[in-house]
Amino acid sequence: QSSWLQIIKDEALEKIEEQNLANEDLEKTVKQKSFAISKEREDEILRKLATFETSKSFMDRNMSLAALATQLEVNTKYLSEVIKKSKGKNFTTYINELKINHIAYLISTETAYRQYKISYLAELAGFASHSTFSIVFKNVTGVTPNDYIQQISKRKLIWNSW
């Protein structure tokens, strides 16, 4: 009787395993179809993104996936997929990191930016709110905007004293 139960149990486990393999195959097929873009088209989008990154238009408060796709003359699906594949992040994270890295660069290279209020820096970076800017800034740099400014200011004082 126990061998009978074992046979039923083994058959059930086999069916579950077959179903799992079928699901994995289906997931692979869906992933492959979801990114049906030629290498040439992907490279073209990457070139356009590189130009976009140097243009500083990412600082625009109204920058969205749709707006960027229109600007680059690509469809939103392809643009989103290329950003995910090449940058390893979604569109919002990609844009926010560009904004924060640019503001951090300005703070570290131009004294005037270390004097601005955080709310003004948030506005310059295209963020709708001071608090969102501060949260994203800390996520990207590891420190708050105030702490970053203080650290840069201290470094500049040390360098200037040499």
Side-chain angles (χ1 to χ4, degrees), residues 17-147:
E17 184 61 30
E18 286 173 15
Q19 187 63 44
N20 286 342
L21 291 173
N23 287 342
E24 287 174 15
D25 289 342
L26 181 61
E27 285 177 25
K28 286 178 188 173
T29 302
V30 168
K31 284 181 181 177
Q32 288 168 351
K33 286 184 179 179
S34 73
F35 196 58
I37 181 174
S38 70
K39 179 71 174 133
E40 294 79 22
R41 185 70 171 137
E42 182 180 348
D43 290 344
E44 177 190 349
I45 293 169
L46 287 170
R47 281 191 300 277
K48 289 180 176 186
L49 279 174
T51 301
F52 164 73
E53 290 171 10
T54 61
S55 75
K56 310 296 182 271
S57 60
F58 54 80
M59 299 291 276
D60 183 346
R61 170 185 244 161
N62 298 314
M63 184 52 63
S64 65
L65 180 63
L68 181 57
T70 300
Q71 183 179 326
L72 301 183
E73 299 177 331
V74 299
N75 79 39
T76 55
K77 177 73 175 152
Y78 282 4
L79 180 58
S80 179
E81 289 291 335
V82 168
I83 290 170
K84 271 187 207 147
K85 182 179 177 186
S86 66
K87 310 291 184 185
K89 53 195 76 162
N90 66 29
F91 174 79
T92 302
T93 301
Y94 167 68
I95 290 296
N96 284 345
E97 286 182 6
L98 287 173
K99 291 178 179 198
I100 296 303
N101 287 331
H102 184 64
I103 287 294
Y105 171 77
L106 293 173
I107 290 168
S108 67
T109 59
E110 299 185 31
T111 308
Y113 283 83
R114 294 191 289 277
Q115 311 307 317
Y116 295 148
K117 290 183 177 187
I118 303 304
S119 57
Y120 183 66
L121 293 172
E123 186 180 324
L124 288 174
F127 282 86
S129 79
H130 163 279
S131 59
T132 301
F133 171 77
S134 294
I135 291 166
V136 175
F137 194 98
K138 184 169 184 178
N139 287 341
V140 173
T141 65
V143 294
T144 65
N146 282 327
D147 288 344

